[in-house]
Amino acid sequence: MTAIAIRPALSFVRIGFLNMLAYRARYYVGVMTYLFNVAVYYFIWRAVFRESATVVGMTLPEMITYVAVGWTIRSFYFNEIDRDIASQVQEGRLAMNLIRPVNFQTVMIFDAAGQSAFRAALFTAPIGIVVVLLFRVQPPVSLGAAGLFLLSAVLSFFLVAAINFLVGLIAIRTKSILGVLRAKYLVLELLSGLLIPTTLFPQPFRSILFASPFPHINFTPAALYLGKAAGGEAARLLLLQAGWTVVLLALGQVVWRRSRHRITIQGG
């Protein structure tokens, strides 16, 4: 993409950031929701570890850290590109993207990036601080692990954005994807390793799952943070995460080019 194409797209980052400022009530409710989720899993895992000192190679402090890190980064990478596209389809606004000088996928992802910038500064950071104080979360095992974790968290944003863009495009053909969105949230939270570590899944499903993009949304960043993946294994996981991101972004471009000919005007 040329600098000329990127420059107008960057304005959507600012728009996304400002849009988040307009929903302050949702922001406060969101903070409480994430803290509640971490607290629930904290007590669940405490009960589980009464029967065993380790579970899938993790101690209780490591598992609590895994949970806290997972929900904290989710507050950063979470976006609603799919819901936004579905809304544009139903309201008849999607056709306007055909005459814009910037690629539609770029617009949607840059807008979501602006929202994630807001979340990182005013949502993820406060949540992380409170979680650390309440649940005794361990720090990264090393500075190197911290750097790899941050890189992986950024890749998680683009990976989720790529998935959500593809899901949103379904609305062009079906007009409504409310049921799809509900199913997607449940599937991603389970298969990404957010609800339980991916290593808890039985074989051969675990191997199949690790060959998919889903564990790289949550499990990979948390594993890097805890030092459960280092050296060659860390490089392999990051390459898989980056590779899936590129593949899904490219697939999104292909599906958009084929779907835009089916756009119809809905609403007033």
Side-chain angles (χ1 to χ4, degrees):
M1 184 183 297
T2 65
I4 295 176
I6 291 177
R7 199 173 297 118
L10 287 174
S11 64
F12 289 97
V13 174
R14 177 176 175 273
I15 293 172
F17 189 96
L18 293 176
N19 282 339
M20 288 297 293
L21 289 175
Y23 298 97
R24 297 178 185 177
R26 187 174 65 177
Y27 163 75
Y28 294 120
V29 171
V31 171
M32 297 305 299
T33 299
Y34 276 87
L35 293 178
F36 175 78
N37 285 326
V38 174
V40 168
Y41 284 97
Y42 170 77
F43 289 111
I44 289 175
W45 285 113
R46 278 189 60 183
V48 171
F49 274 86
R50 287 174 185 167
E51 305 297 327
S52 176
T54 61
V55 175
V56 292
M58 291 189 191
T59 63
L60 177 58
E62 288 176 332
M63 187 63 77
I64 298 304
T65 300
Y66 176 92
V67 170
V69 168
W71 281 101
T72 301
I73 63 171
R74 184 185 185 275
S75 68
F76 163 71
Y77 68 63
F78 177 84
N79 65 75
E80 295 186 308
I81 290 176
D82 42 13
R83 190 178 295 274
D84 190 10
I85 294 175
S87 175
Q88 291 186 42
V89 170
Q90 292 180 334
E91 296 173 10
R93 295 182 289 115
L94 187 62
M96 293 298 297
N97 290 287
L98 297 176
I99 60 175
R100 283 178 171 172
V102 184
N103 180 270
F104 178 53
Q105 185 187 56
T106 302
V107 169
M108 299 305 299
I109 292 178
F110 273 56
D111 181 79
Q115 296 181 28
S116 284
F118 173 91
R119 290 175 178 274
L122 301 175
F123 196 62
T124 304
I127 289 174
I129 292 171
V130 175
V131 165
V132 167
L133 294 175
L134 291 179
F135 302 105
R136 299 180 182 178
V137 176
Q138 296 179 338
V141 294
S142 66
L143 288 176
L148 293 176
F149 161 72
L150 292 175
L151 173 60
S152 184
V154 172
L155 286 173
S156 291
F157 163 76
F158 285 102
L159 182 55
V160 172
I163 292 173
N164 286 351
F165 183 78
L166 282 166
V167 172
L169 293 180
I170 297 174
I172 296 177
R173 297 173 182 267
T174 64
K175 308 309 176 192
S176 176
I177 58 170
L178 183 59
V180 174
L181 291 178
R182 290 174 177 171
K184 186 214 69 173
Y185 287 131
L186 292 174
V187 169
L188 283 190
E189 289 184 356
L190 178 62
L191 300 187
S192 69
L194 178 63
L195 301 184
I196 59 173
T198 309
T199 46
L200 271 175
F201 286 91
Q203 291 287 15
F205 186 70
R206 186 195 315 163
S207 297
I208 296 173
L209 191 54
F210 272 114
S212 74
F214 304 115
H216 302 299
I217 295 172
N218 244 95
F219 180 83
T220 291
L224 293 171
Y225 182 99
L226 290 168
K228 297 298 181 181
E233 178 63 11
R236 186 185 73 85
L237 288 177
L238 283 170
L239 284 173
L240 282 172
Q241 188 180 27
W244 272 115
T245 301
V246 171
V247 167
L248 292 176
L249 286 172
L251 181 60
Q253 290 281 15
V254 173
V255 175
W256 164 244
R257 284 197 294 268
R258 293 186 177 183
S259 299
R260 61 187 180 183
H261 301 295
R262 293 176 173 264
I263 295 176
T264 55
I265 304 300
Q266 304 287 315

